[in-house]
Amino acid sequence: MSPPNASEELPHSDPGEKDVAEMAMTDVDVKPAQARDDVYDHTERIAYTPKEGAQVLRKIDLILLPLLCGCYIFSFLDKTLLNYSSIFGLQTALHLTGSMYSWTGSIFYFGYMLGSIMWSKLVQRFPRHVGKLISGAMVVWSAIILLTPLVTNFAGLMVNRFFLGIMESITGPIFVVVTSNWWTLNEQSFRTAFWLGGTPIGNFIGGCLSYALGSIHTSFPTWKLFYVFFGSFSFAFALLLTFLMPDHQGNARWLTPRERKIAVERVRENQTVSGDHHWKWNQFWEALRDPQTTMFFITAIGNTMPSTFASQFSSQIVKGFGFSAVQTTIISTCPAATIQLSTFLIFSYLASRMRNTRLWWSLVCSVPPLIGASLLHALPTSNTAGRLAGYYLTYTHTMSFTFSTSLMASNYAGHTKKTTASGIIFVGWAAGLVAGPQFFLADQAPNYQMAFEMLMVCYALMIVLPLLQIWWYTYENGRRDRLAQTHGDGDAIDGSELEFTDKSDFGRWRTFRYTM
């Protein structure tokens, strides 16, 4: 039995099923020849052996995955140079007083919000040039970092940070699309965690190099040395990215022609990859009214408001425990990055081995940060060991958004819907990072009681939201099962829905089930 089209009126056995039927009828797949991307234009299936499939996956993992991870490492390092340099003279040199430093953090994410929307639209408009867009953006942002030492005042730094945010925002929504286009559903959780693991790796590297650079005493200001040193490496990596980063499977220079076809065939059954990149307004509105978009958006805000604690204020907080500037660069970063990376690897591995457990692990990873924030808020300033332990406990919280990001790659189908939802969610991500620094009041430094209260509220929210998402996905999957059984063989799979069509997850109600 073929899926319903817009001319069919579907009966429904319970009121809840009416919405699913309406979802299916609003997403008619239009496939004009010119709309099809050449990579996904062929509809014939090709046979390949498990050995060939494993070989292609190995190549993708060994080349594309490190490129994504490396890009994320430099993205983290370049935006957190402000944190490292803040204790090495930047604030004094640029005459930052009062809340000025907090605003230099927020302005970056105003740019990030604008950039998230811009890059989502550009990828929608130029889908065959994703790799060029990523490498081009990195070339520009590394140039911005190299030019930062020329800044002489607050206004100049604000402009610098704003445009840096626009350029770096490509790593969020676009990496989600790349992940869903190159890896299968079961592979996406670990691979998403791997490239997002660039955050703790960057934190560890940044801490070690900042310690080394901070120990150098020259006439050249240390904070400027940070920007020249890290910016040079970013620019070099950006040049490597322009050579190796593919736009899609069809122009991956490190795959043979047959391997490119296998790479496409591997992701056919994801039902999230499309060759039709025409803008579809019905999918745009669908992304806005999809309940999971709202939940991901709130998760993004609740997860990133506390992130400014690590990315912008951690050095000042740990230095407030009584350590010197050089000691702080190691104590505030290396142990924390080790905890963060271990959390990424362990829980992403568990999620990849145990189906539909990502949201449960997300909940678990939010418990230690809640305890840690409570310790930072409640313990007296004299209890350095207890407060430092609380500080380290907060570093498991980023795993929550890592799981959300992997679920975004798995649970949205339809190119317009996916790019729209990714853009909206990463606007929420940036909004949280804009708001976060405003809770760190200068007159409360270095204890920041109001900020620690904000951390506790956000971490508690990250325990409640996964439970709500689990309930929603369970309900929605069950409703689709009932609808499929009512209107045909629930076990039958319509082969057309496994092709590279541009139907959304609403339109694929017969075969698409949400992962958890």
Side-chain angles (χ1 to χ4, degrees):
M1 179 178 179
S2 61
N5 57 42
S7 65
E8 293 177 322
E9 180 69 27
L10 287 178
H12 40 87
S13 57
D14 67 62
E17 290 172 354
K18 180 180 179 181
D19 296 333
V20 175
E22 291 173 349
M23 292 174 190
M25 292 188 287
T26 62
D27 196 37
V28 180
D29 190 32
V30 180
K31 296 179 284 186
Q34 67 271 24
R36 303 293 291 173
D37 190 320
D38 293 342
V39 181
Y40 307 110
D41 197 26
H42 70 278
T43 56
E44 73 278 3
R45 294 173 178 267
I46 65 166
Y48 61 93
T49 66
K51 183 178 179 181
E52 286 181 305
Q55 182 179 351
V56 171
L57 176 60
R58 192 178 305 113
K59 276 193 175 183
I60 296 171
D61 284 345
L62 290 178
I63 299 176
L64 180 59
L65 196 55
L67 291 177
L68 298 177
C69 183
C71 194
Y72 219 80
I73 288 172
F74 285 106
S75 170
F76 176 83
L77 283 171
D78 292 342
K79 70 169 170 272
T80 54
L81 284 176
L82 186 70
N83 182 33
Y84 302 139
S85 59
S86 68
I87 58 174
F88 284 97
L90 177 139
Q91 295 191 65
T92 302
L94 301 187
H95 314 292
L96 304 183
T97 59
S99 62
M100 287 183 178
Y101 180 73
S102 293
W103 277 108
T104 60
S106 294
I107 194 66
F108 174 91
Y109 294 104
F110 277 116
Y112 201 105
M113 281 194 290
L114 176 63
S116 293
I117 299 171
M118 180 189 78
W119 290 119
S120 294
K121 185 61 179 175
L122 282 174
V123 169
Q124 173 70 38
R125 180 68 180 83
F126 303 106
R128 302 184 189 184
H129 304 288
V130 173
K132 298 179 185 69
L133 290 172
I134 293 172
S135 56
M138 189 171 182
V139 168
V140 175
W141 97 52
S142 59
I144 291 173
I145 292 297
L146 287 169
L147 292 172
T148 305
L150 300 179
V151 172
T152 58
N153 54 38
F154 172 67
L157 185 60
M158 290 287 280
V159 172
N160 176 282
R161 296 281 295 174
F162 178 77
F163 284 102
L164 182 64
I166 290 177
M167 291 298 109
E168 286 203 24
S169 63
I170 196 169
T171 59
I174 307 312
F175 279 21
V176 173
V177 175
V178 172
T179 303
S180 67
N181 285 354
W182 282 84
W183 285 280
T184 66
L185 295 179
N186 289 337
E187 296 163 356
Q188 287 171 11
S189 177
F190 186 76
R191 272 69 180 185
T192 301
F194 190 95
W195 58 257
L196 280 172
T199 296
I201 295 172
N203 199 13
F204 189 91
I205 293 172
C208 293
L209 293 178
S210 296
Y211 178 84
L213 293 173
S215 302
I216 298 174
H217 302 288
T218 67
S219 58
F220 192 66
T222 303
W223 73 267
K224 291 186 177 183
L225 184 62
F226 284 170
Y227 281 95
V228 173
F229 182 84
F230 286 104
S232 298
F233 279 99
S234 292
F235 189 78
F237 185 83
L239 296 180
L240 177 66
L241 204 63
T242 60
F243 180 75
L244 290 177
M245 185 71 192
D247 297 310
H248 44 65
Q249 290 93 331
N251 71 351
R253 63 178 72 223
W254 32 269
L255 292 176
T256 67
R258 175 164 173 78
E259 287 173 340
R260 292 169 190 168
K261 292 181 179 180
I262 294 173
V264 171
E265 189 66 34
R266 278 179 10 90
V267 296
R268 182 187 296 272
E269 295 192 11
N270 282 4
Q271 301 184 64
T272 60
V273 181
S274 170
D276 181 353
H277 297 292
H278 273 52
W279 181 264
K280 296 184 177 179
W281 281 106
N282 63 301
Q283 289 192 14
F284 172 81
W285 295 116
E286 192 177 295
L288 295 183
R289 66 186 177 92
D290 192 334
Q292 65 175 334
T293 303
T294 302
M295 288 184 278
F296 281 134
F297 182 81
I298 297 172
T299 298
I301 294 176
N303 231 301
T304 55
M305 283 181 67
S307 292
T308 52
F309 166 65
S311 64
Q312 190 174 348
F313 293 92
S314 60
S315 295
Q316 297 177 59
I317 290 170
V318 173
K319 188 180 179 183
F321 294 164
F323 301 106
S324 69
V326 175
Q327 289 173 330
T328 297
T329 59
I330 288 292
I331 294 171
S332 67
T333 56
C334 293
T338 302
I339 292 169
Q340 197 175 24
L341 183 59
S342 299
T343 303
F344 270 58
L345 296 177
I346 292 170
F347 284 97
S348 62
Y349 177 79
L350 290 173
S352 68
R353 294 295 177 179
M354 304 168 68
R355 289 177 59 84
N356 290 328
T357 59
R358 279 180 267 186
L359 287 169
W360 288 110
W361 292 125
S362 174
L363 185 156
V364 170
C365 290
S366 296
V367 174
L370 179 58
I371 296 172
S374 301
L375 291 175
L376 286 168
H377 181 263
L379 291 179
T381 54
S382 58
N383 192 339
T384 301
R387 288 168 65 81
L388 188 60
Y391 167 78
Y392 290 142
L393 282 174
T394 64
Y395 274 82
T396 66
H397 93 278
T398 49
M399 198 63 216
S400 174
F401 191 62
T402 300
F403 282 131
S404 290
T405 304
S406 69
L407 285 171
M408 286 158 51
S410 302
N411 285 344
Y412 284 105
H415 192 73
T416 302
K417 182 174 183 179
K418 185 188 301 181
T419 54
T420 300
S422 294
I424 291 169
I425 292 161
F426 276 92
V427 164
W429 185 87
L433 288 164
V434 167
Q438 305 311 313
F439 288 86
F440 291 83
L441 304 179
D443 59 0
Q444 293 185 351
N447 295 322
Y448 298 114
Q449 291 302 308
M450 184 171 145
F452 295 150
E453 291 169 1
M454 176 270 290
L455 295 182
M456 290 189 290
V457 172
C458 289
Y459 294 144
L461 183 64
M462 293 305 99
I463 294 174
V464 174
L465 266 176
L467 294 174
L468 183 60
Q469 282 186 274
I470 290 169
W471 172 82
W472 168 253
Y473 286 139
T474 302
Y475 168 77
E476 186 64 21
N477 287 343
R479 184 167 68 163
R480 293 180 179 209
D481 288 341
R482 293 193 301 272
L483 186 63
Q485 291 171 0
T486 301
H487 301 291
D489 184 357
D491 296 325
I493 296 179
D494 181 3
S496 67
E497 295 204 4
L498 298 184
E499 302 301 333
F500 297 113
T501 61
D502 196 36
K503 289 184 178 180
S504 72
D505 45 286
F506 282 9
R508 297 174 186 265
W509 62 272
R510 192 179 298 278
T511 58
F512 194 100
R513 297 298 179 268
Y514 296 104
T515 61
M516 292 176 275

